[in-house]
Amino acid sequence: MDVGAVAAALEEARFDARQASRYEDLADDLRGPAELVEWERIAALLAAAGPGAVYDPDVDDVVQAELAADAAAPADAAAAADAAAAAAQEAELREAMRIAARADELQALRDPGTLDQIEPRHHGDEAVRDELTRRAGAYMQPDVDAWLARPLAAHRGHYADPATREGAAGLLHPPVLAHAALLAALTQLVACADVDQLPFAARLAIADSEDAGELAAFLTRAITPGSRA
């Protein structure tokens, strides 16, 4: 483009900018002002180059830098995606290793029957229950389920946190939740009841978790002031 063509384009951009300033709906349009600034920059380049100068985007450092940035953007995005995927995979591996180590710790206590010496204390112990189940090749793990249900009912260990208890509802299996709900209701109903001394609640939850849950809900309504059983 020669000086005349650039001057014509600059004048058109100025005209568009004046028109846009008259309308509220065009006041926030950033494209017009940006085009005006760019044409002013190009006109200044030609003026500095002297008579007979012609604008060539191939030798415009600003344009070439923008093109290079645009070309690099997909590669940068791909690299960022790869890095994010690698980080996610590493985090998943670390979590799997943590679960395996915790499962080993609990199994070492299960073997001599001393699991009750500790209580759930880590976010993710629900996943450890699933790992122990996988290792045993059986769905039911009564001792581990009771180990989780009793602290959940009594709000002990990391289940002292309300948000953790709420999250457990989506992580634990129905028999565990029914067991915990029944224990919580029974200990409210009988002042001297202890969640660690009610083994029949576990048997009810294992036999029929749905009925056990309904019984827990009924007892809770019965002992809650203002509720109708």
Side-chain angles (χ1 to χ4, degrees):
M1 298 178 67
D2 58 18
V3 174
V6 170
L10 175 56
E11 184 57 33
E12 184 178 352
R14 287 172 175 167
F15 174 79
D16 290 340
R18 289 193 299 270
Q19 290 294 103
S21 67
R22 300 175 182 175
Y23 301 96
E24 292 184 3
D25 58 334
L26 298 177
D28 295 331
D29 185 7
L30 300 180
R31 184 178 61 179
E35 290 180 354
L36 176 56
V37 170
E38 180 65 7
W39 283 119
E40 288 175 341
R41 184 186 70 81
I42 293 173
L45 282 178
L46 290 184
V54 175
Y55 176 71
D56 183 355
D58 290 341
V59 296
D60 186 335
D61 292 341
V62 173
V63 172
Q64 294 307 308
E66 291 176 350
L67 291 175
D70 290 343
D76 292 343
D82 290 343
Q89 186 175 12
E90 183 178 352
E92 185 177 342
L93 178 59
R94 287 198 301 269
E95 178 64 8
M97 294 174 64
R98 187 199 67 79
I99 291 173
R102 180 69 166 157
D104 290 341
E105 178 185 355
L106 298 187
Q107 189 62 54
L109 293 170
R110 291 181 75 186
D111 292 339
T114 55
L115 181 59
D116 290 338
Q117 290 181 356
I118 64 172
E119 289 187 342
R121 64 176 186 270
H122 297 299
H123 295 287
D125 273 352
E126 296 83 6
V128 175
R129 186 263 183 207
D130 294 336
E131 171 62 15
L132 290 170
T133 299
R134 184 191 66 79
R135 294 181 182 184
Y139 169 75
M140 295 306 302
Q141 301 290 305
D143 57 336
V144 180
D145 285 356
W147 177 76
L148 288 163
R150 289 195 295 265
L152 179 58
H155 302 177
R156 299 190 314 229
H158 77 300
Y159 290 130
D161 175 30
T164 301
R165 294 197 300 274
E166 183 177 351
L171 298 172
L172 294 172
H173 294 271
V176 182
L177 297 174
H179 184 187
L182 190 54
L183 287 174
L186 290 171
T187 54
Q188 291 181 69
L189 186 63
V190 181
C192 61
D194 186 332
V195 295
D196 296 320
Q197 304 298 324
L198 301 171
F200 67 88
R203 294 193 294 270
L204 289 174
I206 292 172
D208 193 320
S209 61
E210 185 174 353
D211 283 350
E214 290 180 358
L215 175 59
F218 177 83
L219 293 176
T220 300
R221 290 197 304 271
I223 60 181
T224 300
S227 296
R228 296 179 59 185

